[in-house]
């Protein structure tokens, strides 16, 4: 029987797991659950005889792929797939997919929630400021960036965006001002929200010169990936520019150093952008359906290792 493993170090909400189970069992497959695992060995053992895997930010590297002798497909229930070794997967004839857009609203809502929390001084009771009328720069206008724009406009923010892969007219059609470069986006914005994936091109690209070009009182908010930040340079900048703030949903490697910037730095303890019942259900069910579609009918929509 076709076996589908859900391997989630950070588990889905219970209704999402129930929905996934339903789809998998209705297809005549068997569901295997590995949640909250703490050792890689647990993952290596669990993958040994499965045909398909659903993951979140769980790492699928060459060692995992070597251990998964029957594996045909891995679906990352979410957007970013930097946690999967695509080359190794292709070499093992394993199809890799993501579920783009399914958790985007959840991440976008967190962005605005964190921004309110930040401009109100982390709810310490002192007079803060409002988001209305502030310039928000969205770096990358994908599913999350578009949702951030939609909600930010509801707050009355003045929204700008830059996306190297999205034409300006698409950005403008969403009622957002398109700027010509990421440099311009940082210069024009009071707040910059990052929505770029972690790729060889973007890793460490958010550096001192970019963030340092922000206006007085600038806020950088990161709900994307920690890898896109040049941490040593950002630490240096925060020490020099005591007006800047860094807010993140992905705890930096150098969290202890950032934590010294009291009142100007905040990190969630564990990435929680996509941690809602709705996002888990949307992404989890999409992943289960994509696995059934691939195994039964060879559907490869959303494959990322073509
Ligand atoms: C994504 O890429 O979909 C988000 O970063 C969510 O990741 P998570 O499933 O690990 O919460």
């Amino acid at each position: 029987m076709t076996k589908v493993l859900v391997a989630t170090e950070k588990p889905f909400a219970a209704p999402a797991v129930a929905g996934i189970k339903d789809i998998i069992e209705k297809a005549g497959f068997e569901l295997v659950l590995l949640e909250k695992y703490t050792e890689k060995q647990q993952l290596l053992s669990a993958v040994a005889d499965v045909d398909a895997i659903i993951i979140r930010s769980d790492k699928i590297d060459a060692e995992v792929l070597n251990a998964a002798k029957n594996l045909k497909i891995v679906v990352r229930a979410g957007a970013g797939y930097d946690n999967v070794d695509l080359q190794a997967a292709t070499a093992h004839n394993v199809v890799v997919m993501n579920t783009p857009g399914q958790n985007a609203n959840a991440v976008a809502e967190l962005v605005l929630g964190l921004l309110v929390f930040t401009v109100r001084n982390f709810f310490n009771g002192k007079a803060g400021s409002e988001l209305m009328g502030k310039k928000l720069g969205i770096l990358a206008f994908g599913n999350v960036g578009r949702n951030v724009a939609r909600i930010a406009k509801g707050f009355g923010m003045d929204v700008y965006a830059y996306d190297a892969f999205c034409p300006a007219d698409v950005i403008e059609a969403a009622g957002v001002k398109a700027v010509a470069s990421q440099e311009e986006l940082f210069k024009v914005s009071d707040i910059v929200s990052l929505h770029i994936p972690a790729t060889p091109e973007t890793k460490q690209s958010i550096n001192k010169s970019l963030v340092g070009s922000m206006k007085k009182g600038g806020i950088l908010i990161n709900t994307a990936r920690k890898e896109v930040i040049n941490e040593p340079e950002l630490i240096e900048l925060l020490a020099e520019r005591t007006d800047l703030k860094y807010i993140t949903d992905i705890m930096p490697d150098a969290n202890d150093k950032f934590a010294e910037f009291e009142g100007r730095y905040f990190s969630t303890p564990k990435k929680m952008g996509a941690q809602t019942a709705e996002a888990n259900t949307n992404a989890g069910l999409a992943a289960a359906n994509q696995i059934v579609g691939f195994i039964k009918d060879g559907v490869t929509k959303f494959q990322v290792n073509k």
Side-chain angles (χ1 to χ4, degrees):
M1 194 198 278
T2 300
K3 275 192 175 184
V4 180
L5 172 71
V6 172
T8 48
E9 179 269 324
K10 182 174 64 183
F12 290 123
V17 178
I20 293 169
K21 191 169 184 324
D22 196 47
I23 292 168
I24 297 302
E25 291 183 352
K26 278 203 177 111
F29 302 164
E30 185 189 338
L31 184 82
V32 184
L33 256 186
L34 175 69
E35 292 181 316
K36 291 190 195 171
Y37 60 95
T38 49
E39 305 297 329
K40 187 175 186 184
Q41 191 51 51
Q42 293 171 272
L43 180 62
L44 293 174
S45 306
V47 300
D49 62 346
V50 302
D51 302 273
I53 310 178
I54 296 174
I55 51 160
R56 297 187 62 177
S57 289
D58 307 80
K59 283 204 169 34
I60 301 294
D61 59 15
E63 194 184 359
V64 176
L65 291 158
N66 280 333
K69 299 285 177 231
N70 296 341
L71 190 62
K72 295 158 192 72
I73 176 167
V74 173
V75 182
R76 192 284 191 243
Y81 45 86
D82 47 300
N83 48 322
V84 181
D85 184 334
L86 295 188
Q87 264 193 327
T90 305
H92 282 80
N93 279 321
V94 170
V95 166
V96 181
M97 296 185 190
N98 65 348
T99 65
Q102 300 290 348
N103 58 21
N105 181 66
V107 181
E109 286 191 12
L110 184 74
V111 170
L112 274 297
L114 284 171
L115 285 179
V116 171
F117 180 56
T118 304
V119 297
R120 295 302 185 100
N121 298 318
F122 309 114
F123 300 162
N124 71 0
K126 289 191 184 144
S129 58
E130 299 180 21
L131 294 174
M132 185 184 271
K134 300 295 183 306
K135 291 185 165 59
L136 174 68
I138 298 176
L139 185 56
F141 208 60
N143 290 303
V144 182
R146 286 165 210 223
N147 276 282
V148 170
R150 171 180 56 79
I151 304 170
K153 281 174 21 185
F155 274 80
M157 298 188 82
D158 192 8
V159 186
Y160 294 74
Y162 173 73
D163 189 319
F165 305 99
C166 178
D169 56 335
V170 174
I171 294 175
E172 302 271 348
V176 172
K177 297 179 185 90
V179 297
S181 66
Q182 94 179 348
E183 286 73 19
E184 191 182 336
L185 190 75
F186 275 82
K187 276 191 195 124
V188 84
S189 306
D190 299 302
I191 299 166
V192 172
S193 188
L194 304 177
H195 301 293
I196 45 176
T199 65
E201 293 74 34
T202 64
K203 279 184 184 165
Q204 305 216 356
S205 65
I206 307 304
N207 55 24
K208 189 174 178 185
S209 104
L210 262 186
V211 186
S213 72
M214 288 185 80
K215 289 185 269 186
K216 193 166 190 303
I219 300 171
L220 176 66
I221 177 160
N222 182 10
T223 55
R225 289 290 181 272
K226 68 176 177 187
E227 290 81 2
V228 303
I229 302 288
N230 184 323
E231 290 190 12
E233 288 193 16
L234 187 57
I235 290 166
E236 211 176 287
L237 179 68
L238 287 169
E240 287 170 20
R241 288 268 311 263
T242 57
D243 58 303
L244 296 177
K245 293 189 174 79
Y246 179 50
I247 308 300
T248 181
D249 186 33
I250 315 95
M251 191 174 276
D253 293 331
N255 179 55
D256 290 354
K257 287 199 177 130
F258 280 101
E260 288 171 18
F261 302 111
E262 222 193 310
R264 298 195 288 129
Y265 167 72
F266 175 79
S267 173
T268 54
K270 195 164 182 109
K271 187 169 67 159
M272 59 178 284
Q275 269 302 58
T276 66
E278 293 89 340
N280 287 175
T281 303
N282 292 342
L285 269 54
N289 281 320
Q290 285 171 217
I291 285 173
V292 174
F294 174 72
I295 294 196
K296 289 205 181 254
D297 302 315
V299 180
T300 54
K301 193 174 173 193
F302 302 123
Q303 182 174 354
V304 293
N305 64 332
K306 278 182 183 162

